[in-house]
Amino acid sequence: MIEHPDKALTRRMSRGAQDAFDEFFNSYFPRLYRFTLNRVGTNDDLIGEIVQRTLCRAIEKIDSYRGEASLFTWLCRLCRNEISDHFRRYSREAARTVDFDDTEMRTILESLDEGDTEPDARVQRQQVVLLIQTILDHLPARQGNVLEWKYIQGLTVDEIAARLQVTHAAAQSLLARARQSFRDGFADMTDTELDMLLR
Amino acid sequence: MTTPNDNDRNERLLARLIGLAGPRPQPPQSMRDAVRSATEQAWQRHLQRVRRRRLGLLALAATLTAVAVGVGIAVDVQREPPPWVAQVDRSVGRLELAHGEEWRPLEKSGRIAAGARLRTAAESGAGLLMSNGSSLRVSAETLLRLVTPLEISLEQGLIYIDSGPETPGDVVVRAGRATVREKGTQFAVHAASAGLGVSVREGSVSVAVADTTFEAGAGERLELMPSGAVRRGAISANDPQWQWALALAPSFDTDGRSLTEFLNWVSRETGRAVTFVTPAIQRAANGTMLHGSITGLDPDDALSAVMATTDFEYELVGTQIVIRSRGDRHRR
């Protein structure tokens, strides 16, 4: 079995490295927050409770993480269980889920370009936003961050390099990998290759 | 094949999609603080459980002590014997040095003179670099005296010794009335009658108790009970019982060393043999020089971190570390 690089982080945590715990929390807490937000709605108390239980449960079981999948995938599995347990306990309706098998992305983009404000278009827009943010969250943390910095905050490659304290070349390389990872994630989640939308 | 125009269009589409999504929602600071506090407490509890497990092979009784001995690769040996016999390389929890009747904490890099008495507290441990190049690792609740770099008087607890073929003389551990000696071309046996446990990872030892000598080779475990009964068992080089010693392994300076040298260090610390898939890969590993530091990483973490920076990948297959070129696994 080839170990996932995330396994090195969990090992360091089990050895008591404070910087490993800081990296774990800072990287995965915001992403689990969004994962839970998309499934239970905007009740902050509930989200906080579920994410806290997920992270504490993950710490207890950290030695059982074998590194066969990414740590975020493993954490999402634990989080899904906590969400299911919550709704089962309180007999609520099933948690919202989002269907990402939408092969009409091109149509949605066209309608968004036209500034369509119809309710259907607004819902579609929300779904696209959710899709994009989920893909970003599933990337390694630095890759998701650099894509946001470049395409939302408008940072240049040099500014990204300065923020990460790496060379220009390293920042460029990281951006290239991040773009490819995003394309792969998009294809996985939508059954649509990104460049098919150009045709 | 994508053309430069395709790449430009891809870039623009990516920019549109991500720009459309906007910044990802961030959790409120109050939630972050509360969840962090609870998670950090859970982590501290986890660490306590891990320490108890890792440093948990404690002395069974004052009359039954355990000594684990391995023969290893020596680090550089100084020509002039220094006034100190050991230096603290790593420590977990509390390590103390006796000053007369008083015990005082001993910090990392602290040096220890011949004849000094040391002790570790519960859930603690220490890795010492001996002046002759060997590595001595001390488990929790252990009390010992460092007589010389080659002689240790173990009063209570568990120690692990990794000495090398270039270490002059044989390492001797006296525990009660037992003497454990690393077996070489010349050795003497001393009388002893206290109960003892000895596990051998590599090389061999002789254990003298009263007028009886017992031999134990690599992979063997000896238990000498106070009643005089002797039990033998097996313990593999990568048995989890060695794990506590891994955590206190001396640092390996990777800067300027070859990948092969690093893998040899990982191999002897973890007990797993390194196997190269082809001779060409082994040659390439010999010629791959490392830079940087793995300070603070134990051998398992260091292996993962170092290999990620090379053109090779590794796979743990049973008791082996299999090294191949990156990407080869998927082409098998």
Side-chain angles (χ1 to χ4, degrees), chain A residues 11 15 22 34 113 151, chain B residues 11 16 36 54 298 301:
Chain A
R11 275 199 218 276
R15 302 294 183 199
D22 292 341
R34 287 188 284 271
D113 281 344
Y151 297 116
Chain B
E11 170 80 10
R16 273 175 68 198
R36 187 191 164 101
R54 189 167 293 146
D298 69 23
D301 291 345

Side-chain angles (χ1 to χ4, degrees), chain A residues 1-3 5 8 11-18 21-22 24-26 29-30 33-34 37 44 47-48 51-52 55-56 59-60 62-63 105 109 112-113 125 128-129 132-133 136-137 144-145 147-148 150-152 179 182-183 186 194-195 197-198, chain B residues 2 6 9-11 13-28 31-47 49-51 53-54 243 246-247 296-298 300-301 304-305 313-317 324 329:
Chain A
M1 179 191 79
I2 300 289
E3 271 196 348
R11 275 199 218 276
R12 284 170 49 220
M13 285 174 66
S14 285
R15 302 294 183 199
Q18 182 67 44
F21 173 82
D22 292 341
F24 170 80
F25 184 83
N26 292 335
F29 167 66
Y33 166 81
R34 287 188 284 271
L37 171 70
D44 271 356
I47 295 172
V51 173
Q52 179 173 308
L55 286 171
C56 291
I59 297 270
E60 284 169 25
I62 201 79
D63 291 339
M105 286 293 297
L109 281 177
L112 293 170
D113 281 344
R125 181 192 175 98
V128 169
V129 168
I132 303 303
Q133 292 180 348
L136 289 173
D137 270 345
N145 289 345
L147 289 178
E148 269 198 350
K150 173 130 177 75
Y151 297 116
I152 295 172
R179 287 189 200 105
F182 183 90
R183 274 195 276 274
F186 186 90
L194 198 63
D195 59 2
L197 299 182
L198 299 171
Chain B
T2 54
D6 285 339
R9 286 205 299 267
N10 273 334
E11 170 80 10
L13 178 58
L14 206 67
R16 273 175 68 198
L17 282 173
I18 295 176
L20 172 70
R24 289 171 286 177
Q26 296 297 324
M31 183 194 297
R32 173 183 285 268
D33 293 342
V35 174
R36 187 191 164 101
S37 173
T39 308
E40 194 152 6
Q41 286 176 37
W43 178 58
Q44 292 296 342
R45 289 193 296 273
H46 168 73
L47 290 182
R49 286 192 296 272
V50 168
R51 284 189 193 118
R53 205 165 55 232
R54 189 167 293 146
Q243 197 66 23
L246 210 74
L297 297 183
D298 69 23
D300 285 329
D301 291 345
S304 182
E313 58 190 21
Y314 73 98
E315 185 177 359
L316 300 177
V317 181
R324 53 173 59 88
R329 180 171 174 265

Side-chain angles (χ1 to χ4, degrees), chain A residues 24-90:
Chain A
F24 170 80
F25 184 83
N26 292 335
S27 177
Y28 294 108
F29 167 66
R31 292 195 268 175
L32 285 175
Y33 166 81
R34 287 188 284 271
F35 182 87
T36 308
L37 171 70
N38 293 336
R39 282 156 178 79
V40 307
T42 55
N43 181 336
D44 271 356
D45 288 341
L46 176 59
I47 295 172
E49 182 188 325
I50 289 173
V51 173
Q52 179 173 308
R53 280 211 301 271
T54 301
L55 286 171
C56 291
R57 187 93 179 104
I59 297 270
E60 284 169 25
K61 292 161 66 76
I62 201 79
D63 291 339
S64 74
Y65 169 65
R66 295 194 300 266
E68 291 165 339
S70 76
L71 185 54
F72 187 55
T73 300
W74 185 73
L75 289 169
C76 286
R77 207 174 296 145
L78 294 178
C79 196
R80 270 194 208 93
N81 292 342
E82 293 295 335
I83 293 169
S84 297
D85 284 351
H86 170 82
F87 284 109
R88 219 174 5 251
R89 254 198 312 275
Y90 293 100

Side-chain angles (χ1 to χ4, degrees), chain A residues 123-137:
Chain A
V123 169
Q124 285 175 339
R125 181 192 175 98
Q126 283 168 1
Q127 289 212 322
V128 169
V129 168
L130 194 52
L131 168 69
I132 303 303
Q133 292 180 348
T134 299
I135 295 172
L136 289 173
D137 270 345

Side-chain angles (χ1 to χ4, degrees), chain B residues 78-141:
Chain B
Q78 293 180 295
R79 291 180 183 277
E80 297 294 327
W84 52 275
V85 296
Q87 183 173 15
V88 179
D89 177 56
R90 300 180 80 157
S91 69
V92 174
R94 192 168 176 86
L95 172 66
E96 293 174 316
L97 191 68
H99 291 261
E101 295 300 315
E102 197 184 323
W103 289 94
R104 294 182 197 161
L106 184 60
E107 303 301 327
K108 186 173 178 337
S109 302
R111 290 188 166 178
I112 304 163
R117 287 181 84 212
L118 299 176
R119 72 180 185 187
T120 50
E123 299 181 9
S124 301
L128 309 180
L129 290 176
M130 308 300 285
S131 60
N132 64 354
S134 57
S135 164
L136 168 65
R137 303 170 210 183
V138 185
S139 186
E141 295 182 292

